[in-house]
Amino acid sequence: MPMPHSITAEPNALPAGSHVLTLEGAMPAEGLKPGTRIVTRDTGASVLRAVQVQKMPIDAVQVAAGTLGPGRPTHDVVLPARAELLLRGDHALAHSGQPFALVRAEALVDGRRVRALGLVRLRLVHLSFDRRHVVYADGLELASAAPLTEPDRGTPPAASRADPRR
């Protein structure tokens, strides 16, 4: 039986204060509880199974409001450098040659709209589902963490196979 992975190894934890889209509206990630129905790109809504919060030093990037389009993100956000964002359209084409792509935040660093911050102490919120999803937070589409029972092997969430026109 695989051992649960640690949040310290999980690049897709969200910074506390991120507002995640739920069926009840946008809610702070750290206030979410198991059983909350989270709006996901690939399944519409998924039941949140676990929430872990941990403060830790992590390489981070700052993404300026509107960098990926109007309201994407809704305001300046700080993300773990290895967090995976779902990009569409011109941004995805520029980074992958495909109409949509999961891209690590650190790959977007341009020194202007997306800046590397180096090691920053962040309060991170790990949202776990039965499988990986793409969730909506602060106007961004972000990959969720791997399920607690699945070791992190860099497997992209099922949403990466979703129809990009949705």
Side-chain angles (χ1 to χ4, degrees), residues 44-127:
S46 295
V47 176
L48 184 62
R49 297 297 179 199
V51 179
Q52 292 179 309
V53 180
Q54 181 178 6
K55 193 169 189 176
M56 61 180 288
I58 192 164
D59 284 322
V61 300
Q62 182 176 23
V63 182
T67 294
L68 300 174
R72 299 191 73 213
T74 55
H75 58 277
D76 292 359
V77 297
V78 174
L79 298 171
R82 293 181 55 220
E84 294 171 301
L85 291 85
L86 181 66
L87 302 182
R88 294 186 269 157
D90 291 341
H91 293 286
L93 287 169
H95 286 278
S96 71
Q98 300 296 317
F100 69 107
L102 277 174
V103 176
R104 286 187 175 174
E106 63 194 357
L108 303 175
V109 170
D110 63 7
R112 296 182 348 260
R113 306 275 303 155
V114 182
R115 296 182 308 116
L117 301 178
L119 202 59
V120 175
R121 191 161 182 79
L122 291 178
R123 189 167 167 230
L124 297 173
V125 181
H126 173 110
L127 303 179

Side-chain angles (χ1 to χ4, degrees), residues 18-32:
S18 298
H19 284 82
V20 177
L21 191 57
T22 74
L23 290 184
E24 289 78 40
M27 300 175 68
E30 65 274 21
L32 297 172

Side-chain angles (χ1 to χ4, degrees), residues 127-142:
L127 303 179
S128 184
F129 300 88
D130 288 335
R131 63 184 183 127
R132 294 183 70 195
H133 294 284
V134 171
V135 300
Y136 297 94
D138 297 329
L140 296 172
E141 295 170 295
L142 298 162

